[in-house]
Amino acid sequence: QRSLGNLAEFGIEIDILATDRHPQISSFMRSNHPQINHQYDIWHVAKNIAKKLSKKAAIKSCHDLLKRIPSVANHLWWSASTCNKDATLLKEKWTSIIHHTVIIHSWTGNEKFHQCAHPPLSHASFAIQVA
């Protein structure tokens, strides 16, 4: 709040602001600065997802998930950095990890993203076994 005020005093207009996902910040931005496009910092989003997955991986039956957490976080980073500010493409790239982890590298049902962007894989060592 104070930083936004200081920037306004210098005549600096803010179009987009990226912050963590704190509910009070979101509420403040919605109420006091609806003209600013408030987005979440992808680092914070990825950290939160990794934290939740780590908690699940602590369950004995989900222990194999632990070694996949960095790949999941990297996939989120890749999705955000290659979506060209297209929310639909971001969502479709991010959710494609569901297909990828069970060795499905092309699929239907999306509007813009229908297959993994990596070259063909020679083995299935990256797959998570699904019961």
Side-chain angles (χ1 to χ4, degrees):
Q1 181 176 358
R2 184 175 29 215
S3 296
L4 288 173
N6 289 340
L7 292 170
E9 286 179 20
F10 287 107
I12 298 172
E13 290 186 28
I14 299 172
D15 294 324
I16 300 172
L17 179 66
T19 68
D20 65 8
R21 296 182 62 203
H22 197 285
Q24 288 178 322
I25 294 173
S26 297
S27 176
F28 172 79
M29 293 302 296
R30 238 185 346 268
S31 300
N32 298 308
H33 298 282
Q35 76 283 5
I36 296 175
N37 180 355
H38 180 224
Q39 300 180 0
Y40 298 126
D41 181 350
I42 197 67
W43 181 85
H44 288 285
V45 176
K47 182 179 171 187
N48 189 5
I49 288 171
K51 183 179 175 182
K52 289 178 180 182
L53 289 175
S54 294
K55 188 174 180 179
K56 290 291 183 187
I59 300 168
K60 189 173 183 175
S61 63
C62 298
H63 192 67
D64 285 347
L65 178 61
L66 191 59
K67 60 186 171 187
R68 309 286 185 212
I69 294 171
S71 296
V72 172
N74 286 341
H75 185 77
L76 178 58
W77 276 92
W78 171 80
S79 299
S81 66
T82 60
C83 72
N84 299 316
K85 300 180 182 179
D86 183 326
T88 300
L89 186 58
L90 170 61
K91 180 181 176 186
E92 290 180 3
K93 284 185 171 190
W94 167 233
T95 58
S96 74
I97 197 165
I98 296 167
H99 301 290
H100 181 76
T101 56
V102 293
I103 319 174
I104 298 172
H105 299 288
S106 62
W107 54 88
T108 60
N110 282 352
E111 182 181 330
K112 299 179 177 190
F113 192 69
H114 307 281
Q115 64 184 29
C116 292
H118 60 73
L121 300 176
S122 60
H123 55 81
S125 64
F126 298 105
I128 296 175
Q129 295 299 321
V130 178

